[in-house]
Amino acid sequence: MLNRRTLRIKAMQAIYAYKQAEGSDYQLALDQIADDFAPDLNSMEVQDRKLLEGRKQIAQLLFKEWHETGQFETEETDKEIIDAVNRAIVAYKNLTKKDYKQYSNQMMGAVERIYDHYLGTLQILELINELVKDEEEKKEKRFTAATGPDVKRFLNNRVAQRILNNKSYQQHIIRRNISWGSDISEIRLAYKNILKQDEVFLNYLALPEPTLEEDLEVVKHIFKNIIFKEKNLQSLFEEQDLNWVENKSIVKSLVNKTVKMFGEETEEEPVLLDLSANWEDDKAFFEELYHQTLQDDEKYEAMIAASVKNWDVERVALLDKIILKMALCEMHIFRSIPVKVTINEYIEISKLYSTPKSKQFVNGVLDKMAQELTTKGDIRKSGRGLIDNK
C-alpha cells in the first residue's frame, strides 16, 4: 500500500518540477523586457539601437535586483524602464503562481492515479470474463465440436466473482470512470496467447470441483505471473503511467491484499482497500509538506547556506537542496514524526534519486542541523513514544 516515503518522493518531484519552471519563468520575464526594448522593424522612424540596448540592460538589472532582494531602488527617471520592470515583475508573479498551483494539482493527481491503476488492474478480471463469454458464444454458433480447454469454468471462480459483484468495487469503477477503452486489445492478446497456454491455468480448468483455496490460488497466479509480468502489458502500463516503475509495487500490494481478502470466508461483504491506511491524514501531510517547503524556501536556503560555510551553497545540487529543505520543513512542522525518522527517510530518498555522494552529504548536513536546531529549541517533538520528546 501507499506509504509516506512514496508521498515524500511525489512531493519532491513536484517541488523539483516547480523549481525548474520557476527558472523558466525568470527567463521569460527577462525576455519580456528584451521584447519591450527591441527595435520596431515596422516603424518609419530611425531606431537608436544603442539606446534601446542600454535601456534593456538597465531594466533587466533592476528586475534581477528585485528577484534577489524583493525590491529595487533606483534613481532612474525613465518611465518606460520602470514600467517595463514592473510589467516583468507582474508577469513573473503570475507565472510562478500558476505553476505553484499546477504542480500541486499534478502531484495530487499522480497519487490519485495510483488508485485508478489499482481499480483498472482488478477490472482485468472482468475483461477476462467478457472474453470467455464471447468465446463461448462463438463456439455455440459453430457446426463442429469445440476443441481446447473449457475456459468457461473460470466464470465460476468464486474469488473473481466476489470481486466483480462487490458493491464497493462496482461503485468505485463507475464513480472514477475506470475503462480500458481501446487498450483492451492488449488484454485480449495476453488472454489468447498467454493465459490460455498457461500450465497453472489449464490445470485449474481441469479440476472437477475447485475448492475456494484453489479459486484463490489461480487468481493470485494470474495477477502475479501474467498481469504483473507479461512484457506487453508492462509496456502498456508504462504508457498509462510514466511513474509505473515506482508505482507498480504499490498497485501490486493493493491487488494482492484485495484478492486475499476476497478469498476468505466472511459473513460481511468486504470493502475495497483505501489508498493508504489513513488516506486523509496522509493527504494532509503530503499537501502541507509541498506547500510549506516552498513557502519557507528562502528561510531554509539561508539555513543551509549557514550550515555549509565551507561549501558554496550555489554549488549544491538542486535535488540535494530540495531534499534538505523538505527534511527541515518536516522537522519543524510535523511534531509527531521523530527527527531520526525524518533524517533516515531523506537519506534513503537521496540514495534513490540524487548523486552517488548525496547520501553522505545529506546525512552530514541534516545530522548537524538537527542537533543545532534541537539545542536551540527550534525543533520540538511531541507524541506518545517519541524518543525525541522535549
Side-chain angles (χ1 to χ4, degrees):
M1 295 177 70
L2 189 67
N3 56 45
R4 289 204 168 180
R5 179 176 298 171
T6 302
L7 294 177
R8 290 180 177 98
I9 289 169
K10 298 295 184 190
M12 178 196 71
Q13 291 169 337
I15 292 170
Y16 182 83
Y18 171 77
K19 285 304 215 178
Q20 296 284 38
E22 193 178 43
S24 298
D25 296 339
Y26 175 77
Q27 189 56 52
L28 285 171
L30 293 177
D31 291 344
Q32 179 176 304
I33 292 173
D35 289 341
D36 286 341
F37 295 101
D40 184 355
L41 301 179
N42 296 319
S43 175
M44 300 299 291
E45 298 180 6
V46 177
Q47 303 285 297
D48 189 335
R49 292 177 180 269
K50 287 186 178 180
L51 178 60
L52 289 170
E53 178 63 24
R55 293 164 112 192
K56 180 195 81 173
Q57 290 184 12
I58 293 172
Q60 288 184 335
L61 285 171
L62 293 177
F63 175 78
K64 290 176 181 178
E65 181 183 343
W66 169 84
H67 186 262
E68 292 173 3
T69 65
Q71 59 185 353
F72 67 92
E73 298 179 3
T74 179
E75 298 178 357
E76 181 60 57
T77 57
D78 190 323
K79 187 174 182 300
E80 287 189 32
I81 291 177
I82 302 301
D83 288 346
V85 174
N86 285 326
R87 282 195 300 272
I89 291 171
V90 170
Y92 176 78
K93 286 182 175 180
N94 288 338
L95 286 170
T96 52
K97 182 179 179 180
K98 179 181 176 182
D99 288 332
Y100 178 82
K101 185 176 181 180
Q102 176 185 339
Y103 289 110
S104 172
N105 292 339
Q106 285 185 3
M107 173 185 76
M108 188 55 62
V111 174
E112 292 286 354
R113 282 193 293 276
I114 296 175
Y115 198 75
D116 289 345
H117 212 129
Y118 156 60
L119 294 172
T121 304
L122 290 178
Q123 195 182 41
I124 293 177
L125 287 177
E126 190 174 334
L127 301 181
I128 292 173
N129 272 11
E130 290 174 1
L131 291 169
V132 170
K133 290 175 183 177
D134 289 344
E135 199 169 85
E136 289 305 307
E137 287 179 8
K138 290 177 182 178
K139 283 181 181 179
E140 290 175 2
K141 295 177 182 179
R142 293 174 186 163
F143 295 104
T144 56
T147 59
D150 186 11
V151 290
K152 70 176 182 293
R153 302 192 67 172
F154 185 72
L155 298 176
N156 298 321
N157 183 288
R158 282 159 290 187
V159 175
Q161 292 306 312
R162 285 178 181 179
I163 294 173
L164 301 181
N165 293 322
N166 179 265
K167 291 181 181 178
S168 175
Y169 164 80
Q170 293 174 351
Q171 288 171 354
H172 277 82
I173 291 292
I174 294 171
R175 188 183 303 123
R176 301 177 79 99
N177 193 28
I178 305 300
S179 173
W180 281 85
S182 60
D183 291 331
I184 192 175
S185 59
E186 293 294 341
I187 308 297
R188 185 179 291 108
L189 288 173
Y191 166 74
K192 180 180 178 181
N193 299 330
I194 299 173
L195 183 59
K196 286 184 65 178
Q197 314 295 326
D198 182 76
E199 184 178 354
V200 174
F201 184 64
L202 294 176
N203 289 338
Y204 168 79
L205 296 177
L207 294 171
E209 292 185 13
T211 63
L212 178 60
E213 184 177 353
E214 287 167 334
D215 284 344
L216 172 62
E217 288 304 315
V218 77
V219 173
K220 287 167 62 176
H221 172 76
I222 290 171
F223 280 114
K224 179 181 178 180
N225 297 298
I226 297 177
I227 294 173
F228 285 114
K229 278 190 178 179
E230 203 278 318
K231 290 182 179 179
N232 290 332
L233 288 181
Q234 294 311 297
S235 296
L236 176 61
F237 294 162
E238 288 173 6
E239 289 176 12
Q240 295 173 337
D241 182 358
L242 295 176
N243 296 314
W244 175 243
V245 172
E246 62 189 45
N247 293 339
K248 179 179 178 179
S249 61
I250 303 168
V251 175
K252 192 173 181 179
S253 173
L254 287 167
V255 168
N256 289 341
K257 289 181 180 180
T258 301
V259 171
K260 183 179 179 182
M261 179 172 65
F262 280 88
E264 297 173 350
E265 292 288 6
T266 176
E267 293 182 2
E268 296 183 1
E269 184 176 33
V271 176
L272 283 196
L273 298 171
D274 289 326
L275 192 55
S276 70
N278 195 333
W279 174 232
E280 290 306 314
D281 285 351
D282 286 342
K283 182 180 178 182
F285 163 79
F286 183 38
E287 292 181 309
E288 190 170 4
L289 183 61
Y290 170 83
H291 294 298
Q292 208 61 46
T293 299
L294 286 176
Q295 287 173 21
D296 291 335
D297 182 77
E298 292 182 6
K299 168 186 169 183
Y300 296 134
E301 180 84 13
M303 290 172 65
I304 294 168
S307 182
V308 290
K309 292 179 180 178
N310 297 326
W311 186 265
D312 183 0
V313 72
E314 294 299 323
R315 293 177 60 193
V316 177
L318 174 59
L319 201 53
D320 285 351
K321 281 207 286 187
I322 290 172
I323 289 171
L324 292 172
K325 289 173 183 178
M326 290 177 67
L328 288 170
C329 176
E330 190 170 309
M331 288 178 192
H332 277 98
I333 67 175
F334 296 103
R335 296 174 66 90
S336 64
I337 302 177
V339 168
K340 290 178 182 177
V341 170
T342 295
I343 293 175
N344 288 338
E345 282 296 301
Y346 287 100
I347 288 172
E348 290 302 312
I349 291 172
S350 70
K351 285 163 61 177
L352 291 170
Y353 290 91
S354 199
T355 65
K357 295 183 179 180
S358 292
K359 173 189 172 183
Q360 290 82 0
F361 176 72
V362 169
N363 187 13
V365 174
L366 286 182
D367 190 56
K368 175 186 174 185
M369 295 181 76
Q371 290 181 32
E372 293 175 352
L373 294 169
T374 302
T375 301
K376 291 179 183 178
D378 291 342
I379 295 177
R380 300 180 66 83
K381 296 292 179 177
S382 61
R384 185 178 176 183
L386 286 183
I387 300 173
D388 311 66
N389 283 352
K390 298 291 181 185

